[in-house]
Amino acid sequence: MTENLIPGIRNAVRAVITQDDAVLLQRKIDDNGTERYALPGGAQEHGERLTEALQRECEEEIGTRVEVIDLLYVGDYFKLRQTSPPTTRQLLEFLFACSVGPDYQPRNGPRPDKHQVGVQWVPVNQLDEVNLVPVDYVELLRKQKQSRVYVGQVF
């Protein structure tokens, strides 16, 4: 897991936006044609508070500001990067419950992720039918219980 681990730990924020038993996800197509889904969000920049990073990332990726409600989960994620040779980056992921305005329509923001091709609502009961990365988020999104904030390593 930690082979070719890039030095340093990077903080990342993720928006858990739910509405009518669905969660808002980014749809991505990797260079090799693999489809995957992810929560909106990304890396915290130097000098940024976590909630500021979350607002910036949501505006860039899903084209809207969000209301940050509460911290749901924190987990360690060792993300395999598609580099040559392959490398791994350690991320400390902060998942926040968020909401969007009632008139929000899923769309790419002005600066979507490199592989992002869309944004869509995915019913929570269909999360196991999509390639959500990391896959452990499927169970976390189904439960959304806050009794255990630190979830350890996610895969």
Side-chain angles (χ1 to χ4, degrees), residues 45-73:
E45 294 180 356
H46 182 75
E48 230 177 9
R49 293 189 320 253
L50 290 172
T51 54
E52 291 172 338
L54 191 58
Q55 285 293 355
R56 177 183 49 75
E57 290 287 344
C58 285
E59 288 175 12
E60 291 173 359
E61 296 173 353
I62 65 171
T64 191
R65 291 188 58 79
V66 296
E67 178 185 349
V68 180
I69 299 166
D70 200 7
L71 177 66
L72 290 173
Y73 300 110

Side-chain angles (χ1 to χ4, degrees), residues 41-153:
Q44 180 184 25
E45 294 180 356
H46 182 75
E48 230 177 9
R49 293 189 320 253
L50 290 172
T51 54
E52 291 172 338
L54 191 58
Q55 285 293 355
R56 177 183 49 75
E57 290 287 344
C58 285
E59 288 175 12
E60 291 173 359
E61 296 173 353
I62 65 171
T64 191
R65 291 188 58 79
V66 296
E67 178 185 349
V68 180
I69 299 166
D70 200 7
L71 177 66
L72 290 173
Y73 300 110
V74 177
D76 290 294
Y77 178 40
F78 292 86
K79 181 180 182 180
L80 184 61
R81 300 179 70 223
Q82 297 175 356
T83 56
S84 184
T87 55
T88 302
R89 176 178 289 277
Q90 184 177 0
L91 301 172
L92 186 58
E93 298 230 329
F94 296 86
L95 280 67
F96 287 88
C98 298
S99 65
V100 293
D103 59 341
Y104 175 75
Q105 295 296 314
R107 63 185 174 277
N108 281 348
R111 289 187 297 280
D113 281 354
K114 177 181 175 185
H115 296 107
Q116 181 176 326
V117 296
V119 178
Q120 67 188 73
W121 293 108
V122 175
V124 173
N125 64 2
Q126 294 178 14
L127 286 173
D128 55 355
E129 298 172 20
V130 299
N131 181 21
L132 180 61
V133 178
V135 70
D136 286 352
Y137 286 174
V138 170
E139 268 315 299
L140 293 178
L141 293 172
R142 281 194 183 128
K143 295 177 183 175
Q144 284 197 42
K145 64 178 188 177
Q146 297 183 2
S147 62
R148 192 179 103 196
V149 173
Y150 179 67
V151 295
Q153 186 172 346

Side-chain angles (χ1 to χ4, degrees), residues 6 20 71:
I6 296 171
D20 300 326
L71 177 66

